[in-house]
Amino acid sequence: MKNEFKTLMVSGLGLVGAAILAACGGDGGSSGTSGAEAWQTDAAGNIKLQFVAVSGNTPIDCTSSLTLGVPARAVKMRDFRVYVSGVQIIRADGQKVPLRLRQTDDYNYTSDDGQAAVSLIDLEQQGQGNCAGSAPVNAVIEGTVPAGSYTGVELTVGVPHALNHLNAADAATPRALQNSVHPRMSWAWRGGRKFTLIEFEQDRAVDAAQWESADAGEDGAVSMHLGATGCVGNPAEGVPVSSCKAPNRLPVSLAGFNPGTQRIAFDAAALFNFNIASSAEGGGCHSGPSSASCAKPFEALALDWKADGSGTGVPVEGRTQVLVKAISQ
């Protein structure tokens, strides 16, 4: 089964690069390493990538009291999970080397040859604060590359097409993509996965009156469910998905990223930098091709989305995503 997947995962490798450049203010679609300071692996080539949810540059979790949006609204985290695939580490000479994951388990899948991989980053804690997702937290990706000198990292936010549309109820599907293991990550549209499950809801104890007097969507909830849309086929009925009109995979390149001194951050403040309490702008974005509440989040992701439903779901040339960045440990 794994051998059938290995070529599928390679398609997601370009995402890591976009994150690297975003941290340096570069073009999210390229992966240059000019001027980046090189760092060395250990003799075994071990790499540990640490992830964190932030608001601005401040780490947040299920117990955090924070504000999001413009104007600012008091919110609490409800869920925060992100699929990451195709991680590559960038050599000092610009060559990109796939990160071979250390294991395949409930949160990670890697092909037999290590060339293709997907991980679920889970930053919410069941039973803490307002969160009720899963008990474990998975904030680290560990793997190996050839020992040497490197300057950055690339990855993709999302699940590669061929893995995304497996039958998620099939026991042969990698556990990281199974409904029984991660039921809330199931994407109703043609059996795919939610690439992001980022959810906050109003903190009534702080500013209930402000929220309740506003034209808030979903009772003060704000969310970003990123996923492929316009897909043709239905795996649950034995019909493979042949294509999706809007793939909605986010390439990330972080030039100058050093895993020894930095973490990869998902910035909720940058993603929800709009009036989250307005039904015209806020509420929940489920990647609907013509859902008004998706306009601002997709602008932050720099993915093509249009109100008339004609968006292609690919990165917009000349724009830089602001969700993923590097911060100091």
Side-chain angles (χ1 to χ4, degrees):
M1 185 68 178
K2 292 180 181 178
N3 285 332
E4 295 176 5
F5 298 150
K6 63 184 179 182
T7 57
L8 307 177
M9 300 298 295
V10 174
S11 63
L13 294 177
L15 296 177
V16 176
I20 297 173
L21 284 176
C24 300
D27 182 349
S30 72
S31 57
T33 58
S34 176
E37 183 177 350
W39 47 270
Q40 299 288 324
T41 66
D42 61 19
N46 292 306
I47 300 287
K48 179 185 289 187
L49 301 178
Q50 301 181 68
F51 294 80
V52 63
V54 299
S55 178
N57 289 319
T58 303
I60 58 175
D61 60 25
C62 293
T63 65
S64 301
S65 293
L66 66 148
T67 61
L68 290 178
V70 180
R73 307 289 189 184
V75 297
K76 289 186 176 182
M77 184 190 298
R78 186 161 66 188
D79 212 327
F80 210 116
R81 286 179 271 184
V82 180
Y83 275 110
V84 170
S85 61
V87 178
Q88 297 186 102
I89 312 301
I90 304 176
R91 289 184 183 273
D93 63 6
Q95 180 183 356
K96 300 170 187 177
V97 181
L99 180 69
R100 186 184 183 101
L101 296 187
R102 191 172 300 283
Q103 71 252 352
T104 287
D105 55 24
D106 285 359
Y107 287 88
N108 302 280
Y109 165 77
T110 185
S111 60
D112 287 339
D113 62 5
Q115 295 297 302
V118 63
S119 298
L120 177 60
I121 303 304
D122 187 341
L123 301 174
E124 53 77 40
Q125 310 90 18
Q126 183 183 51
Q128 292 192 25
N130 201 48
C131 292
S134 57
V137 172
N138 187 53
V140 176
I141 293 177
E142 295 186 79
T144 60
V145 294
S149 180
Y150 293 85
T151 61
V153 63
E154 292 190 356
L155 58 83
T156 295
V157 173
V159 178
H161 174 84
L163 284 176
N164 189 44
H165 298 285
L166 299 171
N167 186 343
D170 189 339
T173 295
R175 289 186 59 79
L177 303 170
Q178 284 186 23
N179 284 348
S180 60
V181 180
H182 303 293
R184 286 211 73 207
M185 301 307 295
S186 175
W187 191 247
W189 295 349
R190 301 299 183 255
R193 313 307 292 164
K194 296 185 180 101
F195 302 158
T196 69
L197 180 59
I198 300 174
E199 297 181 342
F200 294 85
E201 63 183 41
Q202 69 181 84
D203 188 345
R204 292 179 179 275
V206 177
D207 68 354
Q210 187 178 27
W211 274 86
E212 290 172 353
S213 64
D215 187 15
E218 294 190 15
D219 193 27
V222 58
S223 62
M224 182 65 214
H225 295 181
L226 184 66
T229 63
C231 301
V232 179
N234 192 336
E237 297 179 358
V239 181
V241 171
S242 58
S243 64
C244 294
K245 179 181 178 181
N248 291 332
R249 292 176 183 83
L250 176 64
V252 176
S253 180
L254 299 174
F257 177 81
N258 184 335
T261 61
Q262 294 177 302
R263 291 182 288 179
I264 299 173
F266 301 109
D267 188 355
L271 180 63
F272 300 120
N273 186 30
F274 53 90
N275 187 357
I276 62 175
S278 166
S279 61
E281 290 189 337
C285 171
H286 296 172
S287 299
S290 58
S291 174
S293 60
C294 286
K296 294 295 185 178
F298 269 83
E299 181 178 317
L301 297 173
L303 293 176
D304 184 43
W305 180 95
K306 294 182 175 67
D308 63 2
S310 65
T312 61
V314 301
V316 177
E317 186 176 357
R319 283 170 48 187
T320 301
Q321 64 83 25
V322 294
L323 170 64
V324 189
K325 64 185 182 180
I327 66 169
S328 298
Q329 291 184 10

